[in-house]
Amino acid sequence: MTDQIHDRLLIIDFGSQVTQLIARRLRELDVYCEIHPYQNVDADLIRDMAPKAVILSGGPDSVTRDGSPRAPDALFDMGIPVLGICYGQQVMMQQLGGLVEGGKISGGGGTAEFGRAFVTPEGQLNLLDGWFGDGKEQVWMSHGDHVSKLAPGFEVYGTSPNAPYAITADTTRNFYAVQFHPEVHHTPKGAKLYENFVRLAGFAGDWTMGAYREEAVQRIRDQVGNKNVICALSGGVDSSVAAALIHEAVGDQLTCVFVDHGLLRKNEAEEVVGMFRDHMNLQVIHADETELFLGELEGQSDPETKRKIIGRLFIDVFQKYADQIEGAEFLAQGTLYPDVIESVSFSGGPSVTIKSHHNVGGLPEKMGLKLVEPLRELFKDEVRALGRELGLPDHFIGRHPFPGPGLAIRCPGEITRAKLDILREADAVYIDQIRKHGLYDEIWQAFCAILPVRTVGVMGDGRTYDYACALRAVTSVDGMTADYYPFTHEFLGETATRIINEVPGINRVTYDITSKPPGTIEWE
Ligand code: XMP
């Protein structure tokens, strides 16, 4: 366990899909917390950690089943405030002398309940200060079983049509229990409950991203020891922040491989390598394999074939360079929490889903490498905050996402060097326009695609026969859905004029106004 001075909160994880969201809500309140699977938590662990409060998470099991998960009984005699959520509520009731029953599927008075519900108040409770709006509050329910008899000392403070014990508490012992999930988005004011809980438990709110950085550095040192680490640096925010953090922890034991497939944007390789190697003193191998990639892509126009070629070559190239690094035992990856969210398993931790291009999926087993994933508890915006904390420049941290296959999927049809050169120039002018108009940070992703079509134009007295390009700009929260960005006609006209004047090879500019769905963000 990390040795630290700030207040600690222990989350006992009973396997809910959303336990990490509790941790996130607490980090937003500057509260340090650790999630421990219930199997690992005994009275000694709690005494050693000395948490100022404990949260019991939700979970998929039924407390009515023999052998189902429990909290250590001793927890309830330690004088520590406890908040139970969903399964955590039922565990508390069962262990403290109440009753839980299996859910019926329909009908009132304590049945299974999935989805939105409204809770109405019953009396005053400090946990609920400032919470109830106009007499009721929306919450997210997801439970089969329900509490049918409260444990001694508990009283009801909120009910919903199907959960007569939606909010309960034993205020003498500072035990609180809710049937719903305050950590999810669908409980709009859920964060307020966590805020009230940590306030009544006496947290100072003294934990910051700076503290997270220190602890993450210590964890990496503990894990890696004196062994070497390799990292596929893409220049994207995730791999960049992971590399910077690991470098801070183990210095030159980290070597980054920047695979340059020749499908990067204008000056991108120089900027990334320059920043990490020259500015931040990381050991970076610039693997310039343009010839290899463009050679194998020659004549290929099918989107999936292009992606597969790039994915395969990426792994080959990374392995080739990694093999040259002596004593590498660890592979660093910028895996984020949304990548791991799939399941929080009962076997003691989350199972990983690896995205196909981002990383070197499959390599760890093939090369006998262990993984270092220092960002796997964080969400994207937290990674950005950590990046700032580590001194990465703002313009770098705020960069739009860029796909692993790079410009290959912005060049529909056959890829040629000439088309890539034209695309790089057009894209640079477009992004420059967006930055100059102060729009960059409002847009999730903006880029130019070069179309596999040439059109006739007239410039001066001459006829032109050049490529058309499409501008794309979308707003999005997570890239899963997107809306096209509503540029003004003035902006679009000015940008088209600049591209045609400044980029030889393009004589027509279009703006893509497709949302996702039905379109995708990229053109391929
Ligand atoms: P689509 O085009 O599927 O893109 O709407 C959604 C988001 O994912 C990015 N993207 C990729 N990122 N490897 C990546 O690392 C890929 O193969 C890939 N394909 C799409 C895309 O840029 C957008 O942000």
Side-chain angles (χ1 to χ4, degrees):
M1 201 143 314
T2 334
D3 192 17
Q4 64 220 321
I5 40 159
H6 30 252
D7 300 333
R8 277 154 284 190
L9 188 146
L10 167 65
I11 301 173
I12 302 181
D13 183 16
F14 290 109
S16 159
Q17 296 276 326
V18 289
T19 302
Q20 274 287 351
L21 286 177
I22 304 174
R24 183 195 165 97
R25 296 282 97 85
L26 294 167
R27 287 200 291 266
E28 286 166 354
L29 296 164
D30 296 332
V31 165
Y32 175 82
C33 65
E34 286 182 20
I35 299 177
H36 289 265
Y38 75 92
Q39 305 94 318
N40 300 351
V41 181
D42 57 16
D44 287 342
L45 181 141
I46 302 175
R47 268 185 223 104
D48 285 353
M49 183 178 173
K52 235 184 157 89
V54 173
I55 292 179
L56 308 178
S57 87
D61 213 327
S62 166
V63 297
T64 61
R65 188 183 67 77
D66 276 350
S68 55
R70 293 286 181 275
D73 283 324
L75 165 67
F76 302 108
D77 298 323
M78 291 177 171
I80 303 172
V82 180
L83 171 63
I85 292 164
C86 198
Y87 184 89
Q89 178 208 34
Q90 294 162 11
V91 157
M92 281 173 87
M93 288 307 147
Q94 188 89 351
Q95 290 187 246
L96 294 170
L99 208 62
V100 176
E101 283 178 30
K104 299 189 291 273
I105 294 304
S106 62
T111 53
E113 202 178 12
F114 297 93
R116 190 172 286 114
F118 287 89
V119 174
T120 46
E122 302 248 331
Q124 291 289 319
L125 181 68
N126 47 5
L127 184 76
L128 303 173
D129 281 352
W131 195 62
F132 278 112
D134 46 2
K136 63 180 185 224
E137 195 51 54
Q138 183 187 315
V139 300
W140 188 255
M141 293 283 190
S142 180
H143 62 101
D145 298 347
H146 63 275
V147 173
S148 56
K149 183 174 146 259
L150 288 179
F154 277 81
E155 283 181 49
V156 180
Y157 293 92
T159 60
S160 78
N162 278 330
Y165 302 123
I167 303 171
T168 62
D170 173 345
T171 50
T172 320
R173 291 188 285 178
N174 263 335
F175 291 165
Y176 302 85
V178 297
Q179 181 57 77
F180 53 90
H181 288 271
E183 61 278 15
V184 304
H185 199 63
H186 303 296
T187 302
K189 282 168 75 180
K192 186 73 187 159
L193 292 196
Y194 289 110
E195 187 186 329
N196 288 343
F197 179 62
V198 298
R199 187 171 41 78
L200 66 87
F203 279 81
D206 57 357
W207 188 78
T208 59
M209 208 28 107
Y212 185 89
R213 168 189 181 175
E214 278 171 36
E215 277 140 22
V217 161
Q218 191 52 49
R219 276 200 299 264
I220 295 167
R221 286 189 185 138
D222 292 345
Q223 187 190 0
V224 168
N226 57 3
K227 301 294 189 289
N228 287 335
V229 187
I230 49 177
C231 173
L233 184 68
S234 70
V237 177
D238 307 341
S239 69
S240 298
V241 174
L245 187 65
I246 295 170
H247 181 250
E248 176 159 291
V250 296
D252 280 351
Q253 286 165 248
L254 171 71
T255 306
C256 297
V257 180
F258 179 73
V259 177
D260 183 347
H261 46 27
L263 298 159
L264 299 167
R265 290 163 292 187
K266 191 176 176 183
N267 299 332
E268 186 159 20
E270 295 75 14
E271 277 170 19
V272 174
V273 174
M275 187 178 86
F276 282 94
R277 189 154 64 194
D278 306 332
H279 184 67
M280 295 180 66
N281 276 328
L282 268 76
Q283 302 196 88
V284 181
I285 298 173
H286 180 179
D288 185 353
E289 296 284 353
T290 305
E291 295 304 319
L292 174 71
F293 279 86
L294 297 191
E296 293 230 9
L297 285 167
E298 206 174 303
Q300 302 292 347
S301 55
D302 174 63
E304 268 314 294
T305 311
K306 284 155 75 174
R307 279 174 173 272
K308 290 223 169 78
I309 291 172
I310 295 165
R312 172 174 55 77
L313 291 179
F314 185 91
I315 290 188
D316 289 351
V317 165
F318 184 74
Q319 179 153 20
K320 182 177 89 179
Y321 285 87
D323 283 346
Q324 296 162 15
I325 300 161
E326 234 166 82
E329 287 195 15
F330 290 90
L331 176 72
Q333 284 193 166
T335 314
L336 305 194
Y337 180 58
D339 305 331
V340 233
I341 208 159
E342 289 266 289
S343 78
V344 178
S345 76
F346 269 54
S347 54
S351 67
V352 185
T353 309
I354 296 175
K355 289 189 203 161
S356 50
H357 281 278
H358 250 273
N359 51 42
V360 281
L363 263 188
E365 299 84 44
K366 211 166 146 191
M367 298 172 69
L369 295 171
K370 288 169 258 182
L371 287 177
V372 191
E373 297 178 299
L375 311 179
R376 58 183 291 136
E377 294 165 14
L378 302 183
F379 288 81
K380 193 85 175 181
D381 55 330
E382 295 179 308
V383 171
R384 292 203 166 103
L386 180 58
R388 275 185 211 103
E389 184 65 41
L390 287 160
L392 293 175
D394 258 349
H395 71 87
F396 199 84
I397 298 287
R399 292 205 314 173
H400 292 169
F402 185 65
L407 299 183
I409 57 174
R410 296 176 179 177
C411 189
E414 230 177 281
I415 298 166
T416 65
R417 282 161 210 262
K419 276 160 85 177
L420 288 175
D421 286 341
I422 296 170
L423 174 55
R424 279 192 193 97
E425 292 303 321
D427 191 72
V429 173
Y430 179 40
I431 299 300
D432 182 56
Q433 275 287 102
I434 289 174
R435 285 205 188 272
K436 279 201 173 123
H437 282 75
L439 302 174
Y440 191 85
D441 294 337
E442 278 178 37
I443 294 170
W444 161 269
Q445 202 168 1
F447 59 87
C448 199
I450 184 163
L451 304 185
V453 57
R454 293 207 284 168
T455 71
V456 173
V458 52
M459 276 178 98
D461 290 331
R463 176 187 191 271
T464 59
Y465 186 53
D466 284 331
Y467 286 107
C469 75
L471 309 180
R472 184 92 167 117
V474 295
T475 54
S476 177
V477 177
D478 51 14
M480 304 296 284
T481 58
D483 288 316
Y484 73 86
Y485 186 78
F487 286 125
T488 61
H489 283 283
E490 289 71 23
F491 174 89
L492 290 169
E494 190 184 302
T495 305
T497 304
R498 270 196 66 190
I499 290 177
I500 290 168
N501 284 341
E502 295 175 33
V503 184
I506 290 200
N507 68 353
R508 194 174 295 266
V509 177
T510 65
Y511 185 49
D512 177 358
I513 53 166
T514 321
S515 292
K516 173 183 179 176
T520 55
I521 295 176
E522 302 291 347
W523 270 55
E524 285 191 339

